[in-house]
Amino acid sequence: MRDDFARLQMEHEFAVDEVLTKVSILQREFMHLHQYNPIEHVTSRVKSLESILQKVAKRGIDWNPQAIRANLTDIAGVRITCSFIADTHRILKTLTSQTDVKVIEVKDYIANPKPNGYKSLHAIIEIPVFLSTGPVPVTVEVQIRTIAMDFWASLEHKIYYKYDGAVPDRLVADLSDAADAAEQLDRRMEQLHTEVRGAGSSAEAADTSDELEEELLLRLWQQSRQNT
Ligand code: GTP
Ligand code: MG
């Protein structure tokens, strides 16, 4: 039994590694194509055995690894914090359209925020982890949000825990206002970003890299002449 649980956690750790690699590749390719970084930061975690068992007890799930695997979809979690709202949708789309990614569920809490103001894109995905015995499908919960949404969610989380879920009405209303302010900020920042990029900042970045490439090509060409 202990070994079964160790295996369960290990497989989810591998799945997190797979997703992190995918995200890193998307990020680097995006930088290459568009000369800007759509991802501010990425965090990940695998639920501790203690919190797996707590949730299993709370939900009345059977105490065996198969049932846990099938019913707990957030043992592995990856959170991607993006610069802008448009990037959250872009990242979700590119990630979930990969052929080895099976989408179990997508929840768009950006289009439909929770009543408290919580916003994020959630995707439950299944990806294969290749072990010595063959591929094992593993579920990962991916949360994608902007910096402003992330800032809001972490504060709300702290408040929720401080009051053990019974947040006073005044704070609930303040949090809801703060969520509106965060959304306004997101919109304005995105507008500014679009304006500035439209004014040619990306063209400048492209120019510099073109110059570098030309210099490199020239050197390679000179070297090849020396070698002949
Ligand atoms: P859980 O039992 O909490 O996993 O909820 P769920 O299975 O109904 O899924 P949902 O997609 O609503 O939430 C999954 C995760 O999103 C949570 O574990 C949190 O990390 C995050 N989340 C959802 N709602 C909120 C919220 O109101 N505030 C904050 N701070 N995080 C939230
Ligand atoms: Mg969940």
Side-chain angles (χ1 to χ4, degrees), residues 216-228:
L216 188 69
L217 279 174
L218 185 69
R219 256 192 273 160
L220 282 172
W221 180 71
Q222 282 167 345
Q223 244 178 27
S224 73
R225 275 172 55 106
Q226 275 169 11
N227 291 343
T228 52

Side-chain angles (χ1 to χ4, degrees), residues 72-100:
L72 270 198
T73 51
D74 64 347
I75 296 176
V78 174
R79 183 174 293 155
I80 305 169
T81 308
C82 293
S83 318
F84 305 106
I85 301 170
D87 296 327
T88 62
H89 292 104
R90 220 174 268 150
I91 296 291
L92 177 73
K93 200 168 156 227
T94 38
L95 192 64
T96 52
S97 56
Q98 297 191 356
T99 51
D100 56 344

